[in-house]
Amino acid sequence: MENPEIIIRLSPDEALVLSDWLEQVQMTDLSRLVDDAAVWAPLHRIAGTLDKSLLGIFAADYAERLEAARSRLRPVPDDSASDEEGADA
């Protein structure tokens, strides 16, 4: 028997960054990004769930929290590429 729902787990940083991105997407012309109107329902549901779960989106320091979360989620630059370039010189 199939599970009737799909559960996605996100870290607080992932949820905050995704919530902000979804808000930006919803404020644009979605038809340019989403070519099937059926996709809008789950996008709005995810965004609404995140908004209800993330109390920090209404905090005065939201921008700082968001940038800190983005920084923690960005990949660390790979130093091995610069090490290899130095070895070739």
Side-chain angles (χ1 to χ4, degrees), residues 22-83:
L22 285 171
E23 179 67 24
Q24 291 177 38
V25 168
Q26 289 176 325
M27 298 308 246
T28 65
D29 180 10
L30 284 178
S31 63
R32 290 184 314 130
L33 298 172
V34 180
D35 61 353
D36 183 353
V39 176
W40 298 4
L43 284 177
H44 290 303
R45 184 172 182 182
I46 291 168
T49 300
L50 289 171
D51 287 350
K52 290 178 199 170
S53 302
L54 295 169
L55 302 177
I57 62 173
F58 301 110
D61 64 343
Y62 171 76
E64 292 84 9
R65 290 178 187 213
L66 178 61
E67 189 50 43
R70 286 178 173 159
S71 294
R72 289 188 291 268
L73 290 174
R74 286 187 184 110
V76 177
D78 186 10
D79 289 335
S80 64
S82 61
D83 291 344

